[in-house]
Amino acid sequence: MTRLTLAALYKVARTASGTPTATLTIATRAETDDRYAAWSSGCLQLPHDLVEELAFPPDGSYTITSKGALSPTEIRGFRAPVVVTSMLPLLDADDRAPVEQTGWLNEEGILLRRYLRPDGRPPIAVSDDHWQAWAKHLEQPAWHTPSRGGLILWAPDERARATALLGTIHPRFTPDLPEWTADL
């Protein structure tokens, strides 16, 4: 599951929003009543006690303060129904391979890419800010699936429903990697 607290949710939302105003979209998976915080870059399952602390907000888009106050907002093109129909089903993606974090980073302007090594697959890149924000609060192993161009999922094993996902950076936007060495 996650170690997600209110303060952590705010930090993840601020990172994922990419602006000083932290935003998120809350969506419910109908089959399980699990609640998720989502952004265009990925989503995280909200622990029940955190949903309770947020006062059980209805599905929708919000700004969030560091104290957890939610205010309805509009996130163009990204609403709860989109999360439910397009993003949450990806938590069940299969064809997973375990992922290792490497020490290889690529900086281009303000974008810092972290390279990951899926077992038996070519290396993949993610936004390092997003990787750090997600991985810090997730207790399960990370997995790579090629679904939708590539996703990182956090799940207890390769068949279980994931509790979080993070999109990868398309290979055409990443530089060629040096030969892998044991120290990466």
Side-chain angles (χ1 to χ4, degrees):
M1 188 63 172
T2 67
R3 297 181 299 269
L4 202 59
T5 63
L6 195 53
L9 177 61
Y10 170 73
K11 288 177 185 173
V12 171
R14 202 174 70 219
T15 299
S17 302
T19 66
T21 304
T23 60
L24 53 82
T25 297
I26 294 178
T28 304
R29 186 177 199 124
E31 313 89 74
T32 60
D33 282 334
D34 291 330
R35 308 295 303 278
Y36 293 84
W39 303 269
S40 59
S41 54
C43 68
L44 296 162
Q45 185 176 349
L46 299 173
H48 182 75
D49 58 335
L50 182 53
V51 174
E52 188 175 327
E53 196 172 348
L54 292 169
F56 299 99
D59 285 5
S61 296
Y62 299 91
T63 59
I64 184 171
T65 68
S66 59
K67 304 259 189 241
L70 296 174
S71 299
T73 193
E74 181 73 25
I75 300 175
R76 200 174 318 166
F78 197 75
R79 299 173 190 223
V82 171
V83 173
V84 169
T85 59
S86 299
M87 187 177 279
L88 297 185
L90 297 173
L91 295 170
D92 294 317
D94 53 10
D95 188 21
R96 298 179 189 177
V99 169
E100 283 180 41
Q101 177 176 302
T102 71
W104 207 80
L105 295 168
N106 171 260
E107 187 173 4
E108 205 169 294
I110 62 168
L111 181 61
L112 185 60
R113 297 176 183 104
R114 161 87 46 198
Y115 283 81
L116 307 173
R117 189 178 358 204
D119 188 37
R121 296 182 182 167
I124 53 172
V126 294
S127 160
D128 188 57
D129 289 344
H130 291 157
W131 171 259
Q132 297 302 333
W134 262 248
K136 181 178 182 178
H137 304 291
L138 297 165
E139 298 171 336
Q140 299 168 334
W143 305 85
H144 171 258
T145 180
S147 298
R148 296 269 176 106
L151 300 170
I152 303 300
L153 302 172
W154 280 265
D157 62 57
E158 62 187 307
R159 300 208 190 291
R161 174 171 290 145
T163 58
L165 74 83
L166 179 63
T168 60
I169 298 172
H170 194 281
R172 75 172 177 243
F173 299 113
T174 57
D176 290 337
L177 292 169
E179 288 297 316
W180 289 109
T181 60
D183 60 328
L184 285 180

